[in-house]
Amino acid sequence: DAGITQSPRHKVTETGTPVTLRCHQTENHRYMYWYRQDPGHGLRLIHYSYGVKDTDKGEVSDGYSVSRSKTEDFLLTLESATSSQTSVYFCAISAIQETQYFGPGTRLLVL
Amino acid sequence: SQQGEEDPQALSIQEGENATMNCSYKTSINNLQWYRQNSGRGLVHLILIRSNEREKHSGRLRVTLDTSKKSSSLLITASRAADTASYFCATDAVQAGANNLFFGTGTRLTVIP
């Protein structure tokens, strides 16, 4: 987990509220990713970034938006949280388009 | 879906034994990676094997890749209690671009001391 932090680490929120998760890296890596991990589904890519202000959608992007205004920060926003977005969210970084390094995760519970 | 599938879903062995996990995937790839996840933690990269490679070693890890069968195996030799974790294969997809990694659902390995 060195070089990558996620905040908050745990969050409980109510349906319909906006939620923002933050990923911060100190490695100056170009690529950053947001995944969600659910039982029976493994990890699924939500959005990724290939540079400042350059982002693209992943496999499960509906209901999520991202922003990257600085190399070191990648924000994931749930515009209006739903119970189906209860999950563990992982941020990952990579210098080239191969090996990814993961943060410690954020556990989100939407009631 | 491009998602890989690991087999078995769970594996329990005695310390000192070898552990073998398999991964199957669906479409052409550039490379395949194996990751490990300890309970409550993020994933840690173990090894990457490229599509033109058939076998790769790293310490007690041995990975094979058979692109004709679209499958890979991860062998952990002389297992230790500390190897207890979930293991995931991850593939890129040639047509999806290298940014998209597709993870399987994982094999839960328990090594009994």
Side-chain angles (χ1 to χ4, degrees):
Chain A
D1 299 351
I4 311 169
T5 57
Q6 293 185 229
S7 59
R9 294 293 313 279
H10 302 271
K11 185 168 182 68
V12 180
T13 191
E14 294 185 348
T15 298
T17 60
V19 176
T20 295
L21 309 183
R22 179 182 183 236
C23 177
H24 178 79
Q25 62 149 327
T26 58
E27 305 298 324
N28 201 35
H29 283 351
R30 177 181 176 185
Y31 300 94
M32 299 186 76
Y33 312 81
W34 277 108
Y35 292 89
R36 60 179 289 172
Q37 184 175 32
D38 305 288
H41 289 278
L43 274 81
R44 292 179 291 174
L45 181 65
I46 305 171
H47 282 278
Y48 65 93
S49 169
Y50 46 97
V52 173
K53 297 185 179 178
D54 291 324
T55 65
D56 206 348
K57 296 178 180 179
E59 184 184 358
V60 289
S61 59
D62 287 348
Y64 302 94
S65 63
V66 290
S67 65
R68 191 170 178 198
S69 59
K70 298 184 291 185
T71 297
E72 57 266 34
D73 289 327
F74 193 31
L75 304 181
L76 176 71
T77 297
L78 288 64
E79 293 136 10
S80 177
T82 67
S83 58
S84 65
Q85 294 176 312
T86 290
S87 187
V88 181
Y89 291 85
F90 287 97
C91 173
I93 64 174
S94 66
I96 58 175
Q97 294 172 326
E98 291 183 343
T99 302
Q100 295 185 13
Y101 300 92
F102 284 78
T106 293
R107 290 187 175 274
L108 176 66
L109 174 61
V110 183
L111 300 175
Chain B
S1 169
Q2 166 66 9
Q3 186 179 42
E5 293 184 3
E6 286 92 345
D7 172 64
Q9 289 187 329
L11 179 62
S12 183
I13 60 174
Q14 294 291 133
E15 200 166 31
E17 294 180 340
N18 295 342
T20 299
M21 290 158 266
N22 302 295
C23 169
S24 60
Y25 57 92
K26 296 180 181 177
T27 66
S28 297
I29 61 172
N30 294 306
N31 59 63
L32 184 145
Q33 303 179 49
W34 284 90
Y35 288 80
R36 163 195 170 127
Q37 183 180 34
N38 287 78
S39 181
R41 305 292 297 275
L43 278 72
V44 175
H45 179 258
L46 294 176
I47 194 165
L48 179 152
I49 186 166
R50 302 189 186 283
S51 60
N52 62 353
E53 297 176 309
R54 291 297 167 258
E55 187 172 313
K56 201 163 184 179
H57 297 256
S58 177
R60 293 184 297 112
L61 305 180
R62 173 179 170 256
V63 171
T64 62
L65 179 64
D66 186 335
T67 54
S68 67
K69 296 181 179 179
K70 293 186 170 58
S71 67
S72 174
S73 67
L74 171 67
L75 169 68
I76 303 174
T77 60
S79 63
R80 305 166 181 169
D83 294 329
T84 293
S86 291
Y87 292 82
F88 296 87
C89 68
T91 57
D92 65 358
V94 172
Q95 66 271 31
N99 279 308
N100 283 357
L101 276 186
F102 296 89
F103 286 82
T105 52
T107 292
R108 174 70 187 170
L109 173 66
T110 301
V111 181
I112 302 167

